[in-house]
Amino acid sequence: MTELLDRHRRVMGDGAPLFYDEPLQLVKGEGVWLEGADGRRYLDLYNNVPCVGHANPQVVAKLAEQAATLNVHSRYLHDGVVDYVERLVGLHHDGIESAILGCSGTEATEMALTLIRGTTGKRGIICTDATYHGNSSLVGRLSWLPVGTERSGIKSISTPQLFRPLDAGLSEVALLQLHLDELTGTIASFADEGGFAGLMLCSILANEGLPNPPAGWFAEAVGLVHDAGGLVIADEVQAGFARSGSWWGYETSGFVPDVVCMGKPMGNGFPLSAMASSHDLITEFRQRQRYFNTFASSPLQAVAGDAVIDEITNRGLVGQVREVGDRLKASLTALQQDHPRMGDVRGTGLFIGIDWVYPESNNPDVDGAGQVVEALKSRGMLLGKAGQHGNVLKIRPPLVFDHDNAATFLSVFRDIVADAHS
Ligand SMILES: Cc1ncc(COP(=O)(O)O)c(C=O)c1O
């Protein structure tokens, strides 16, 4: 292991990110289970990309069959590709009619930002102050952008949240208004700075740490953007494909976007992403940008994507995710009553965050959260931590995670939380 780690650092560069004090070497995955090089099995509560399970036999078989038949780039007609994109946009609301495939979430979000700027002829983009939408030179400018600063026509608004509210003295209704006023002011600030193009939002505020905004925030914010002539991009790269217990995070959060970005779980690990919108906006984008992507819109991508939709549909995973997630969250919320380090339990479907805090102050306890993650690993459970302060335990297993898996996790988690409070 040490030798492999040394070689990893030498050849991949020092600083290439690896989880855990002692990085984990994996050799095999099946369903919700991962196997280490030491022969240990780990329950996977972290990985959202293999959404229909590690090494899913249906996806593997379809990929193998297609790879042995044909794989070409997008400048030829292929019925499988057209069938897949039709099926994909058909899963969305009526305004989503056409899509452009890519290979990463970053490509999808980059296309979306370029689309809204091109369509509106305006430059100003708004995001939250604790977000991540990808790593290109354009999209990377949205990452962790402090309120009150500006990066090339991009500004942020405070992440709306009830647990650590912007102003603790306000009622929920007043807090909602404070956030909406901030958005209105930020939109207005673009008036002399290239105008306002739109808002990009993760539909469930995943990288922000899954905060609960004041009730109605999503729909009201979207209304303000539209009133100002802007467009709304829903980043569904984490939120989409049943993760929140609906097909799309924007359904769970109650708003209707103009543009949608998808990625991560879309191909169960085969690189596949998409940016989707109305037929008119996609057509205009294509005419302006002449977008081409060597590996995208291939027959191989189409079979991977199609097999994922088949699995989610045939196995009833949207409903399963909702049920398993609801019950798991209820158990964690019950556990929280006696364990004040679990400051807040939130999220929907199979994406649950536990805000790990110092009990007296409710301040984020990043080190404590890290210790829980390490302790869980030593007991064969893998999860991560994330959020605005890096202290939110992130439970985000493959969608096929079931009630038995949840019970297995809870039995270990209860011990670890008890130890942390002893
Ligand atoms: C919400 C969100 N959008 C976009 C991306 C970028 O996706 P990718 O890493 O595939 O470029 C990420 C990656 O973590 C993400 O979390």
Side-chain angles (χ1 to χ4, degrees):
M1 159 69 91
T2 316
E3 193 233 332
L4 184 61
L5 184 58
D6 288 345
R7 282 172 49 216
H8 179 99
R9 289 195 174 129
R10 202 171 313 123
V11 76
M12 316 277 284
D14 280 342
L18 284 170
F19 286 155
Y20 299 112
D21 294 344
E22 192 179 317
L24 184 57
Q25 185 184 349
L26 295 172
V27 293
K28 191 170 161 27
E30 190 178 358
V32 293
W33 293 95
L34 289 164
E35 191 181 311
D38 56 3
R40 283 194 72 187
R41 283 196 349 140
Y42 295 90
L43 182 60
D44 184 2
L45 292 113
Y46 181 81
N47 286 292
N48 55 348
V49 169
C51 62
V52 291
H54 291 278
N56 178 288
Q58 306 299 323
V59 180
V60 171
K62 294 214 167 133
L63 274 171
E65 190 187 336
Q66 187 61 48
T69 307
L70 173 73
N71 196 42
V72 283
H73 65 74
S74 59
R75 286 171 171 156
Y76 302 98
L77 270 178
H78 191 271
D79 59 348
V81 174
V82 176
D83 287 348
Y84 172 63
V85 180
E86 281 176 351
R87 194 175 184 198
L88 179 68
V89 296
L91 292 167
H92 282 282
H93 72 80
D94 288 350
I96 302 296
E97 300 164 321
S98 304
I100 302 178
L101 301 188
C103 302
S104 69
T106 300
E107 289 173 357
T109 51
E110 167 108 13
M111 282 193 274
L113 293 176
T114 308
L115 181 148
I116 67 166
R117 278 185 164 169
T119 293
T120 60
K122 307 279 166 54
R123 228 171 111 64
I125 286 166
I126 298 179
C127 58
T128 74
D129 64 348
T131 200
Y132 177 79
H133 295 286
N135 59 15
S136 68
S137 59
L138 170 58
V139 183
R141 292 190 182 121
L142 279 67
S143 305
W144 306 98
L145 177 63
V147 172
T149 55
E150 190 261 349
R151 284 186 201 137
S152 311
I154 298 162
K155 296 183 187 182
S156 71
I157 48 172
S158 309
T159 298
Q161 53 192 311
L162 295 175
F163 187 59
R164 287 193 186 86
L166 203 50
D167 183 335
L170 297 181
S171 67
E172 188 169 341
V173 172
L175 185 65
L176 171 65
Q177 197 54 52
L178 185 67
H179 282 286
L180 295 177
D181 291 347
E182 185 186 353
L183 176 59
T184 304
T186 311
I187 292 172
S189 74
F190 283 114
D192 301 324
E193 299 175 28
F196 173 57
L199 173 70
M200 175 175 265
L201 269 186
C202 167
S203 320
I204 55 169
L205 303 175
N207 292 317
E208 291 84 343
L210 305 168
N212 290 316
W217 180 80
F218 280 100
E220 299 258 355
V222 165
L224 289 178
V225 170
H226 285 156
D227 289 349
L231 294 170
V232 174
I233 303 166
D235 181 342
E236 293 280 337
V237 169
Q238 292 223 38
F241 290 90
R243 175 57 51 190
S244 67
S246 316
W247 262 102
W248 308 112
Y250 65 76
E251 294 167 333
T252 296
S253 295
F255 72 100
V256 180
D258 306 292
V259 183
V260 177
C261 302
M262 295 158 274
K264 287 188 192 285
M266 224 175 148
N268 211 48
F270 192 84
L272 172 57
S273 69
M275 187 270 295
S277 187
S278 68
H279 178 258
D280 287 351
L281 292 192
I282 292 290
T283 303
E284 277 174 36
F285 173 86
R286 284 206 182 273
Q287 286 165 355
R288 270 193 311 272
Q289 301 297 322
R290 303 179 62 77
Y291 185 80
F292 174 71
N293 185 324
T294 298
F295 297 115
S297 297
S298 69
L300 260 184
Q301 278 196 330
V303 288
D306 208 43
V308 166
I309 296 176
D310 277 347
E311 283 285 88
I312 294 177
T313 309
N314 297 343
R315 294 167 72 170
L317 291 180
V318 179
Q320 179 176 318
V321 163
R322 199 178 316 124
E323 281 169 29
V324 176
D326 280 357
R327 198 193 289 179
L328 176 57
K329 187 174 160 193
S331 301
L332 291 168
T333 306
L335 192 62
Q336 180 197 13
Q337 307 315 313
D338 298 322
H339 296 93
R341 287 182 188 278
M342 297 171 67
D344 194 26
V345 177
R346 52 190 188 240
T348 43
L350 279 175
F351 205 156
I352 300 173
I354 304 172
D355 204 304
W356 198 259
V357 300
Y358 293 103
E360 292 77 28
S361 61
N362 263 354
N363 286 337
D365 180 2
V366 181
D367 291 343
Q371 284 157 15
V372 173
V373 170
E374 290 288 344
L376 281 165
K377 178 199 167 212
S378 71
R379 300 275 308 267
M381 310 272 142
L382 303 183
L383 51 72
K385 61 187 178 62
Q388 190 162 17
H389 308 284
N391 70 315
V392 178
L393 298 173
K394 181 162 83 170
I395 300 172
R396 191 193 54 181
L399 305 174
V400 292
F401 190 87
D402 63 17
H403 287 300
D404 288 346
N405 300 138
T408 305
F409 165 68
L410 278 167
S411 68
V412 172
F413 189 68
R414 281 197 186 96
D415 289 351
I416 286 167
V417 171
D419 284 351
H421 286 79
S422 61

